Amino acid sequence: MNRRNLMGALLASVGLLAVGCGSDKAATPATTAAAVTTVAPATTTAPATTAAPATTAAPKAAKKLKVAIITPSAENDVAFSQSMFDSIAIVAKERGADGIEIAKSPNLFVVADAGAAIRDYATKGFDIVIAHGSQYGALLKEIAPQFPKVSFAWGTAADTFGQPNIWAYEAKSDQGGYVLGILASQITKKDNIGIIGPVEVGDAKLYVEGFKKGAADGKGTAKVNVTYTGSFSDVAKMAEAAKTFTTGGADVLTGSSQAVAGAVPVADAAGAAWFGTQSDQSALSKKATVGSQVYHWEDAVREMLSSVEKGTLGGKTFALTLANKGLQIAYNPGYKIDPAAKAKADDAMKAVIAGSVKTTA
């Protein structure tokens, strides 16, 4: 073999060796890579997807609580109806979009119309029907026994009529009324206070009595006059009563019900101070409104809904008080209150909560 042929043979041998080494190095990772693909935890973890608490969570998601609310006035009446709508909205937000379905029927002041709505909601399978008005009690007494699987609630009242599927709720509005009456007695410069009630029943009457007692206890020289318009909704009558008071020298006014929308502008125009109840009424006048007793129904609503989910449909009465914070005083930050006067109101609140003072005559 000559020199050229010998060199070719040597190069060919080296090439074969190189191919063999390359083959070994490529095969090694390939076999380990294969092991990785066959070591599949997927097959062992698959049961985890079937093991699931998802089966226990499903009923909760499927059971969206259906709640209906009937009120005698508008959802934004800045008074009685709004207090319940605001509370329901808070609870609904806590529960999330999938936790509660709400149907609203406001402005059903006519009892017959409210009765038709209550029956309709019960027939459609709503879990709880809240008839937010003292005029609705007789309706529930008649309707509830006909729908034993539906829960009903009404207020302000303390009577469940002995029915296992009726809740009742009330507001001890004389308590906040007393505190505001104390403050009013410190604010008045003319010792002349006017109180306008709608109808002499329920929380409206309690508020009037509490405010009158507070004003008298706070300043015995203050002249306190009370008038009832005979209507929860007649704005014109409330405005007329307010004008009578301001013309007669009253520089502090208060009142109850959705009809106060007629009285607050009168107070504002006359430069008189206004005290509200049921909802925060500073929205009606930033200038005139000193503060408001605000109803917070949230705890009552939470317990009712939770109980209905557990199978208890009624049979209990709830009461809002200053002690349980169902009643709260919302002061208007835009109204300047003398610190000494505010201190007297704060002391009065402590006394009411402690039970050391009578809030009605």
Side-chain angles (χ1 to χ4, degrees):
M1 183 179 293
N2 60 32
R3 184 182 180 91
R4 183 186 297 260
N5 289 340
L6 178 60
M7 184 63 69
L10 286 172
L11 289 173
S13 299
V14 171
L16 287 172
L17 286 171
V19 171
C21 290
S23 233
D24 287 343
K25 288 190 177 181
T28 304
T31 53
T32 52
V36 171
T37 55
T38 55
V39 174
T43 54
T44 56
T45 54
T49 57
T50 56
T55 52
T56 55
K60 185 176 180 181
K63 180 60 176 175
K64 179 183 283 191
L65 208 62
K66 298 177 69 175
V67 180
I69 312 168
I70 293 97
T71 64
S73 51
E75 184 175 348
N76 60 346
D77 67 354
V78 200
F80 183 67
S81 294
Q82 184 169 335
S83 71
M84 180 55 78
F85 281 116
D86 286 350
S87 294
I88 288 285
I90 290 171
V91 176
K93 185 176 181 180
E94 292 170 352
R95 284 176 160 252
D98 296 330
I100 185 171
E101 176 185 331
I102 302 171
K104 305 173 183 179
S105 291
N107 291 311
L108 294 185
F109 186 79
V110 178
V111 172
D113 294 341
I118 291 169
R119 286 184 181 279
D120 185 53
Y121 285 128
T123 301
K124 289 178 178 177
F126 273 73
D127 297 291
I128 179 168
V129 180
I130 301 174
H132 189 57
S134 57
Q135 62 266 57
Y136 302 146
L139 291 173
L140 295 194
K141 185 178 181 181
E142 174 192 349
I143 295 172
Q146 300 170 19
F147 296 91
K149 294 183 179 180
V150 177
S151 177
F152 299 89
W154 76 297
T156 60
D159 194 354
T160 64
F161 308 111
Q163 292 294 325
N165 61 334
I166 293 181
W167 308 98
Y169 52 84
E170 60 181 341
K172 301 293 187 181
S173 53
D174 51 301
Q175 295 186 359
Y178 182 86
V179 173
L180 294 181
I182 290 284
L183 183 55
S185 73
Q186 306 304 302
I187 286 178
T188 180
K189 293 179 173 61
K190 297 181 179 180
D191 283 357
N192 194 330
I193 298 172
I195 305 176
I196 312 165
V199 180
E200 204 170 349
V201 295
D203 66 303
K205 181 182 179 182
L206 279 177
Y207 175 73
V208 169
E209 292 178 350
F211 196 99
K212 182 178 179 180
K213 178 71 161 46
D217 285 358
K219 195 173 187 180
T221 58
K223 178 183 177 183
V224 183
N225 291 311
V226 178
T227 187
Y228 282 94
T229 66
S231 172
F232 287 102
S233 59
D234 197 324
V235 174
K237 282 187 176 180
M238 190 71 80
E240 183 181 349
K243 286 178 182 177
T244 299
F245 279 136
T246 55
T247 301
D251 63 348
V252 172
L253 296 178
T254 190
S256 178
S257 85
Q258 62 268 29
V260 301
V264 179
V266 174
D268 187 300
W274 175 265
F275 288 88
T277 188
Q278 299 175 331
S279 290
D280 184 350
Q281 293 172 355
S282 60
L284 296 174
S285 172
K286 295 293 185 185
K287 183 180 79 172
T289 307
V290 181
S292 305
Q293 170 177 238
V294 181
Y295 293 176
H296 286 270
W297 303 105
E298 295 94 287
D299 281 349
V301 170
R302 288 186 191 103
E303 186 169 340
M304 286 190 287
L305 299 189
S306 176
S307 296
V308 168
E309 287 175 322
K310 295 173 184 175
T312 300
L313 305 184
K316 180 177 178 179
T317 297
F318 302 91
L320 305 188
T321 66
L322 289 174
N324 64 25
K325 296 185 179 180
L327 301 177
Q328 297 181 27
I329 305 298
Y331 292 108
N332 174 17
Y335 192 99
K336 188 176 180 180
I337 304 174
D338 179 72
K342 174 70 162 47
K344 285 186 178 293
D346 291 342
D347 289 342
M349 185 181 297
K350 292 174 184 175
V352 172
I353 292 173
S356 59
V357 64
K358 286 188 64 176
T359 54
T360 56

